[in-house]
Amino acid sequence: MSAAVQTVDWANAGLYTILAIGAYLQWRKNGGRPALWVALAFGTIGIVVIVGRLPGADDHDWVVKIELALLVLFPYLLYKFTTAFERAPQGLERFVGLMTIVLLVWSFALPHVPQENEEWSNGFVAYLIAFLFHWSVLSIIAAVRLWRAGGGQPSVAQRRMRFLAAAAALLTAALLLAGLGSSEDSPLSLLIGILTTLSGIGFILGVAPPAILRLLWRRPEAARMQDAIAGLMRAETPDHVTRGVLPPMLAMVGARAVELRDATGQIVGSYRPHGGREDEEVEVLELDLPEGSLSVWTSRHAPFFGKEELLTLRTLGSLTELALDRARLFSQEQAARQSLEEAGQLKMNFIALAAHELRTPVAVIHGVIETIERRKEQLDRADKQELEGMLRTQAAGLKALVEQLLDLSRLEAHAVAIEPSRIPVRERVEEIVSLTAGSRAGEVEVRVPEELEAVVDPDAFDRIISNLVANALHYGQAPIRVTAEREDGRLQVAVEDRGDGVPSEFVPRLFERFSRSDPSRLRAVGTGLGLAIAHSYAEAHSGELRYRQALPHGARFELVLPSSA
């Protein structure tokens, strides 16, 4: 039994020495408060283990008192390690600090530390009880804090934190058993040594786990990363890229939120899931990327326990930037293709318009001219007047169509200058109705206050209202009503009829060029340009043209233009 106990003791000496050296090297490499507390904590326990193996060390009271003081410091340093991530209540901080200081002073104030075969004095028993209480309380607090904080962490960080928590609990159990007193070759001493060994292994796995073990622990995050990369390759739009990659990024480091920015600082995408503790302390990590940055709102444990995960996150962020560039190029290609298709459709619509709207009046004009030339001697005065009337009507139609096309080209080229001036609204509307409706002017009712004036561009106003009135005459039914008022510094004009209104499925395309609903196509009325021109003039005037269903039925077009009083 004695040989087994000695073997375990030497194994523990090696374990805790390795642990102390590993913690020190990690602090020198990475720095930071958490690494410093770890180096101090395991440095103290390493010194105790090494000194305890030196021949004759326990024969000197001052050496034993230093060992006791270091043992007092170990759970306090481990507790301070946990507070580097999450602050403890001030009351607990004061209690723990005061208890540690008192116990340190008491350790050096002990008159004598009894050897193995010596009887314990009452003072030493009281000290031992206080020592075990101090160690147990601090170790349990540290273990609970580490275990609880590991709940929302990724796999590697969670396992490291919980190994540290379990190791602290095992070492506390070993210390409590040692406080019972036992000979060096007893089964209890062997059990204490084994618990200490398991605790040392747990501490090593928590502080510096081997790379192969970290790879095994990281398999869930590796699978998420592979899925995210596969999603990046399939994503066709920037939105698909960010929606596919940000949630796995968040899970990879146990973050609370993640935000991706481009080189100009603009937010490209962000993800913040619901849930989580509102009172949890978070740290914002800024990861620089080749063409932007990645902001991660994560727990304060991530920089210490998840450094490799953060490096992986930076790599994934760089891949995301490449995927975003590819998605933008793909979106631009799609947009260009759609523009070409729309241009082709517009061309076809224009050809159809020319074939129908131009051919008919041209054919009529050509026929009338030939009739006049061939039969001019046979035509009486009434016939000539009728033919001249047909010529005027068809020529007026051609002129109106050409003006519409010219209007549209100027609007698309942004060559329309808006020059507001004061106009009497009622007088202007009546004039527009008279010119547009002609003989049907009686079907249009103008309800505009006599005193209403507005500062608007007269030409744009004429174009919009004339097209709306013409549209109502062509597609609606009498009575047609034009109303106007000024509200909040804006002129509002409405043209309303009592026809069937616009089919709901056609409303989204109502203001598109060459757009005509099926009923209008069957009736072959209009070019599909009037409303598009009116809408474009309204936008050029920094205004708005919108459609509403009239009550109880019919179409209602509302024009809103900025106007000073």
Side-chain angles (χ1 to χ4, degrees):
M1 183 66 68
S2 177
V5 171
Q6 288 183 1
T7 301
V8 172
D9 284 348
W10 280 107
N12 287 337
L15 274 176
Y16 282 92
T17 302
I18 293 172
L19 179 60
I21 294 172
Y24 172 76
L25 292 176
Q26 189 175 55
W27 171 64
R28 287 295 303 271
K29 180 180 178 181
N30 301 319
R33 285 180 57 213
L36 175 61
W37 289 121
V38 166
L40 291 174
F42 294 112
T44 58
I45 200 73
I47 292 173
V48 170
V49 172
I50 293 171
V51 171
R53 303 277 73 79
L54 297 177
D58 292 344
D59 296 338
H60 303 281
D61 263 6
W62 64 271
V63 174
V64 177
K65 289 178 181 180
I66 290 175
E67 288 182 303
L68 288 174
L70 292 175
L71 287 175
V72 169
L73 282 176
F74 173 74
Y76 176 75
L77 294 171
L78 189 62
Y79 161 79
K80 292 299 291 182
F81 166 69
T82 67
T83 62
F85 306 114
E86 183 180 359
R87 286 192 297 262
Q90 287 189 354
L92 179 62
E93 282 279 340
R94 293 195 187 101
F95 172 72
V96 166
L98 181 61
M99 185 169 54
T100 303
I101 292 172
V102 168
L103 205 55
L104 282 173
V105 174
W106 197 351
S107 299
F108 289 105
L110 285 172
H112 174 67
V113 180
Q115 299 295 318
E116 181 181 353
N117 297 322
E118 294 180 2
E119 186 178 353
W120 292 356
S121 65
N122 292 333
F124 183 75
V125 170
Y127 169 82
L128 184 61
I129 293 173
F131 176 89
L132 294 176
F133 175 78
H134 171 267
W135 183 293
S136 301
V137 169
L138 287 184
S139 297
I140 290 172
I141 291 174
V144 169
R145 287 168 66 89
L146 285 169
W147 189 278
R148 181 173 57 88
Q153 302 299 319
S155 301
V156 174
Q158 183 182 83
R159 283 176 169 83
R160 289 179 65 183
M161 294 167 73
R162 289 187 170 172
F163 267 116
L164 286 174
L170 288 172
L171 191 58
T172 302
L175 191 66
L176 290 174
L177 291 175
L180 299 177
S182 63
S183 60
E184 291 185 358
D185 58 352
S186 67
L188 182 59
S189 294
L190 181 60
L191 177 60
I192 293 170
I194 292 174
L195 290 176
T196 305
T197 302
L198 294 176
S199 174
I201 294 172
F203 281 132
I204 289 176
L205 294 179
V207 173
I212 184 65
L213 199 56
R214 292 198 300 269
L215 287 175
L216 292 175
W217 289 345
R218 197 177 290 115
R219 283 184 297 180
E221 284 74 27
R224 291 192 190 101
M225 182 174 179
Q226 291 172 358
D227 291 341
I229 293 174
L232 289 178
M233 297 302 101
R234 294 192 299 266
E236 296 181 352
T237 66
D239 185 55
H240 288 163
V241 171
T242 54
R243 281 192 299 167
V245 77
L246 292 183
M249 279 184 174
L250 190 115
M252 197 174 297
V253 292
R256 306 299 175 263
V258 62
E259 191 172 82
L260 182 65
R261 296 176 179 269
D262 60 18
T264 64
Q266 295 294 320
I267 297 176
V268 177
S270 62
Y271 180 69
R272 183 187 298 272
H274 297 291
R277 291 167 48 198
E278 296 295 332
D279 60 339
E280 184 178 14
E281 295 183 19
V282 297
E283 183 169 342
V284 182
L285 302 178
E286 297 289 345
L287 306 180
D288 292 330
L289 303 178
E291 298 295 335
S293 64
L294 190 67
S295 301
V296 183
W297 282 259
T298 186
S299 73
R300 303 178 75 175
H301 299 83
F304 182 83
F305 290 103
K307 187 168 292 290
E308 292 179 347
E309 281 69 19
L310 292 175
L311 294 176
T312 303
L313 194 64
R314 181 181 279 111
T315 301
L316 186 55
S318 301
L319 292 175
T320 302
E321 288 185 331
L322 293 176
L324 284 171
D325 289 338
R326 185 182 63 82
R328 291 190 190 100
L329 290 175
F330 181 80
S331 298
Q332 291 171 3
E333 180 185 351
Q334 291 291 94
R337 184 180 304 171
Q338 184 177 356
S339 297
L340 288 175
E341 291 176 355
E342 291 176 354
Q345 185 63 41
L346 285 175
K347 179 181 177 181
M348 292 177 61
N349 290 339
F350 179 78
I351 292 173
L353 171 74
H356 185 273
E357 300 295 336
L358 293 176
R359 183 177 60 181
T360 300
V362 168
V364 171
I365 292 172
H366 182 266
V368 170
I369 293 173
E370 283 196 343
T371 300
I372 292 175
E373 287 180 350
R374 292 179 182 179
R375 302 178 58 186
K376 56 184 177 181
E377 296 181 357
Q378 301 174 8
L379 297 174
D380 57 21
R381 184 178 180 84
D383 292 335
K384 289 181 180 180
Q385 288 179 347
E386 182 180 355
L387 291 174
E388 289 173 356
M390 292 175 63
L391 282 174
R392 282 192 294 270
T393 300
Q394 298 301 324
L398 280 174
K399 180 176 179 293
L401 179 58
V402 171
E403 287 180 350
Q404 285 185 327
L405 294 174
L406 289 174
D407 278 347
L408 197 60
S409 65
R410 285 196 297 267
L411 287 164
E412 288 184 344
H414 304 287
V416 174
I418 300 299
E419 299 177 354
S421 62
R422 185 175 298 277
I423 63 169
V425 179
R426 180 182 177 89
E427 180 181 334
R428 195 81 178 196
V429 169
E430 288 177 339
E431 183 180 345
I432 294 170
V433 169
S434 176
L435 293 174
T436 304
S439 61
R440 298 181 61 187
E443 300 177 23
V444 182
E445 180 184 0
V446 177
R447 290 188 178 181
V448 179
E450 290 281 357
E451 69 281 2
L452 180 60
E453 293 185 346
V455 179
V456 296
D457 183 273
D459 291 336
F461 186 77
D462 291 358
R463 297 289 189 184
I464 298 170
I465 301 302
S466 61
N467 276 299
L468 293 180
V469 172
N471 183 77
L473 291 169
H474 287 160
Y475 303 121
Q477 294 180 11
I480 297 168
R481 183 175 298 123
V482 182
T483 59
E485 62 180 351
R486 182 178 20 255
E487 183 176 344
D488 298 330
R490 298 168 70 86
L491 176 64
Q492 300 185 12
V493 183
V495 178
E496 183 176 325
D497 66 68
R498 285 293 176 265
D500 297 330
V502 178
S504 57
E505 65 275 7
F506 181 68
V507 171
R509 297 184 292 116
L510 187 58
F511 298 111
E512 294 179 4
R513 291 170 292 173
F514 307 114
S515 180
R516 292 182 291 179
S517 63
D518 291 339
S520 70
R521 290 181 187 276
L522 293 174
R523 290 159 53 185
V525 176
T527 62
L529 291 176
L531 291 179
I533 291 172
H535 187 266
S536 296
Y537 265 112
E539 288 186 337
H541 206 303
S542 301
E544 181 184 5
L545 180 61
R546 56 192 178 222
Y547 168 79
R548 299 180 187 275
Q549 189 75 23
L551 297 176
H553 57 84
R556 177 182 174 87
F557 291 89
E558 298 177 350
L559 169 67
V560 181
L561 295 178
S563 168
S564 58

